[in-house]
Amino acid sequence: MSDMTKKLYPVTGMHCAACAGNVEKIVRKQEGVENASVNLAAATLAVTYNPDIVSPQQLKEAVMKIGFDLIIDEDNSVQEQEEAEQSYYGQLKRKTIVAWIFALPVAVLGMFLMNVPGVNWWMLLLSLPVILYSGRSFYMNAWKQTLQRTSNMDTLVALSTSIAFLFSLFNTFYPEFWYSRGLEPHVYYEAATVIIAFVLVGKLMEEKAKGKTSTAIRKLMGLQPRTARVVKDGREEDILIAELQVGDKVSVRPGEQIPVDGVIVGGNTFIDESMISGEPIPVEKKQGDKVLAGTINQNGAFTMTAQKVGKNTVLAQIIRMVQDDEAVVTMVDSNLQREQITPSEKAYEEFDTEEVRKLVKRLDELDPIPLPWKSDEEALKDFWDYCEERQREERIIAEMKIKG
């Protein structure tokens, strides 16, 4: 049996704490999963599983069954998450605009012109785009949640608006049912449409706020260009980074970012390596010198041979280490919250002690800190604060530099 594997995967489609709880719950149910925890703010899933029993694709399929998605492509996970978020924001914006275009006249008709003959039919027609287009995702997600015997905010929205709409629809087609009983057949189209419109506005504001936040991983991923200029048979051709192979010759012009790790085979230049080494002064590079992905070429053009591509570049290793460290903190914090235990020596000993000790040891090699092994109620809390401040790219970059 192979060792347990710990991974951090981006999750798309989550909007509330119930969503995060449902994703965590469905992943924990999968055979071979030892632990799983979701960070709603970062939209990530930290999972420990046995790769011999369950695969990332199976985890993805399980999450998709309840209306969410898991990005398992480790090479492009951050880019895919950003693209998914941008696409979702665009769709959400269009749905919100459509919802308000039709919800406002429905509200006016329902509040001030409810006694006008035939007004119910006009409200019905104006409500259909809101229900069928703008609010469609609420009903689809609520149905998926129902099939899994769970619920979230979409369930509440779908339940309230569908009841209001269906009741109004019945009263519009069969008003005699109530007239024969001496009652007025009221309709509530404006309630259904306005609720959807307001919830969409809230989601739109939430997505916009998320778009302004930037994690360390996304900043690091932004250092690597998506294309490279390959030299073949004396001609230059732009290709995607994913298509670049070890041994390919790459041309780099002044002002461009270096796409992969390699060695200069022609030309000389100065390269800004501050994002890797922290040194603000550009370093002179000539034929035979190594260059790293993500660093910036200054004032000279050169040709290099690719030596490390994809997951093997120094930049990719830095990103992976940051992800692993975030996964450790997310899992431990999730366990503490689930058990409602305050930071203490007892809590520290019970939850992921081995993984946390590894993280402390790695950080302590760079900059010794007091280890929180003593029975101090504030010790573990101070440790988490330290991790939040120090385990980011500066610390990981420093570690990579030490390892050479």
Side-chain angles (χ1 to χ4, degrees):
M1 181 180 294
S2 65
D3 295 333
M4 287 291 182
T5 300
K6 184 183 272 80
K7 294 291 184 179
L8 189 72
Y9 296 119
V11 183
T12 61
M14 297 189 301
H15 309 296
C16 61
C19 296
N22 291 337
V23 171
E24 185 174 313
K25 183 178 179 181
I26 196 69
V27 173
R28 283 176 175 271
K29 286 183 177 179
Q30 305 307 304
E31 185 180 1
V33 174
E34 182 183 78
N35 196 6
S37 58
V38 174
N39 186 326
L40 178 60
T44 56
L45 166 70
V47 57
T48 303
Y49 65 95
N50 188 332
D52 287 343
I53 301 177
V54 62
S55 66
Q57 182 62 34
Q58 291 174 308
L59 298 178
K60 177 183 177 72
E61 292 173 357
V63 171
M64 291 181 68
K65 286 182 180 179
I66 58 174
F68 308 101
D69 195 9
L70 199 65
I71 300 176
I72 59 176
D73 183 0
E74 297 183 40
D75 289 339
N76 302 297
S77 61
V78 177
Q79 291 97 325
E80 286 189 23
Q81 185 180 20
E82 288 182 347
E83 291 173 0
E85 289 175 353
Q86 291 174 1
S87 176
Y88 176 73
Y89 180 80
Q91 294 178 8
L92 191 60
K93 188 175 182 179
R94 289 192 294 272
K95 290 182 178 181
T96 304
I97 293 174
V98 170
W100 279 108
I101 288 176
F102 290 96
L104 286 176
V106 171
V108 172
L109 292 174
M111 295 176 65
F112 304 107
L113 303 172
M114 71 285 290
N115 295 321
V116 175
V119 69
N120 289 354
W121 293 100
W122 283 106
M123 287 193 290
L124 170 60
L125 292 176
L126 292 171
S127 299
L128 287 176
V130 181
I131 299 296
L132 300 179
Y133 174 69
S134 298
R136 182 184 177 188
S137 60
F138 294 120
Y139 305 110
M140 293 181 63
N141 291 336
W143 176 247
K144 292 178 180 179
Q145 296 290 327
T146 302
L147 293 177
Q148 298 296 324
R149 298 182 180 181
T150 60
S151 62
N152 61 2
M153 186 181 69
D154 292 335
T155 307
L156 300 177
V157 176
L159 190 62
S160 60
T161 57
S162 60
I163 290 175
F165 180 79
L166 293 175
F167 181 76
S168 302
L169 188 67
F170 176 83
N171 289 350
T172 301
F173 279 92
Y174 304 103
E176 308 83 20
F177 179 85
W178 299 105
Y179 283 135
S180 63
R181 291 165 173 75
L183 299 173
E184 186 73 20
H186 296 289
V187 295
Y188 302 96
Y189 293 116
E190 75 282 0
T193 56
V194 170
I195 287 175
I196 290 176
F198 271 116
V199 173
L200 287 174
V201 169
K203 285 193 172 187
L204 187 66
M205 295 172 65
E206 179 185 13
E207 289 299 317
K208 186 175 182 180
K210 285 182 179 179
K212 292 181 179 179
T213 60
S214 177
T215 64
I217 296 178
R218 295 192 183 189
K219 289 180 180 178
L220 288 171
M221 290 298 294
L223 296 176
Q224 187 174 29
R226 299 190 178 184
T227 61
R229 188 178 301 103
V230 178
V231 180
K232 293 182 179 180
D233 301 325
R235 292 171 30 176
E236 295 182 351
E237 177 185 356
D238 289 340
I239 64 172
L240 296 175
I241 289 292
E243 300 174 1
L244 199 61
Q245 302 293 324
V246 174
D248 286 347
K249 288 187 177 181
V250 181
S251 173
V252 182
R253 297 172 182 173
E256 294 182 342
Q257 288 180 312
I258 298 174
V260 293
D261 295 357
V263 60
I264 296 178
V265 294
N268 57 76
T269 184
F270 283 86
I271 294 179
D272 180 4
E273 296 183 338
S274 59
M275 64 287 298
I276 298 295
S277 65
E279 176 58 52
I281 301 176
V283 180
E284 183 179 6
K285 297 288 183 177
K286 56 185 181 301
Q287 185 172 343
D289 290 340
K290 292 184 178 181
V291 291
L292 302 176
T295 56
I296 301 175
N297 182 28
Q298 293 291 296
N299 55 4
F302 64 89
T303 303
M304 59 176 285
T305 299
Q307 291 184 330
K308 294 181 179 179
V309 299
K311 300 179 183 179
N312 298 321
T313 65
V314 171
L315 182 59
Q317 293 177 36
I318 293 173
I319 294 170
R320 193 178 305 116
M321 292 174 70
V322 175
Q323 289 177 328
D324 291 344
D325 291 346
E326 285 192 351
V328 170
V329 175
T330 298
M331 282 191 171
V332 177
D333 184 61
S334 177
N335 286 332
L336 289 173
Q337 292 181 5
R338 188 179 300 110
E339 300 296 332
Q340 297 182 348
I341 297 178
T342 57
S344 64
E345 181 183 17
K346 183 176 181 295
Y348 184 87
E349 292 173 351
E350 289 183 355
F351 297 101
D352 285 352
T353 302
E354 182 179 355
E355 294 297 333
V356 176
R357 284 178 182 270
K358 289 180 180 178
L359 176 59
V360 176
K361 183 179 179 181
R362 291 167 61 186
L363 293 172
D364 192 50
E365 289 175 353
L366 302 177
D367 186 8
I369 59 172
L371 299 181
W373 312 136
K374 298 181 179 180
S375 56
D376 182 0
E377 286 292 328
E378 296 298 325
L380 187 59
K381 181 179 182 300
D382 293 340
F383 169 68
W384 298 133
D385 292 341
Y386 176 83
C387 289
E388 289 293 331
E389 295 175 0
R390 304 300 295 277
Q391 76 174 29
R392 299 304 177 188
E393 64 264 38
E394 296 87 0
R395 309 305 302 159
I396 304 303
I397 288 171
E399 182 177 3
M400 292 298 298
K401 183 180 177 182
I402 291 174
K403 291 183 177 181

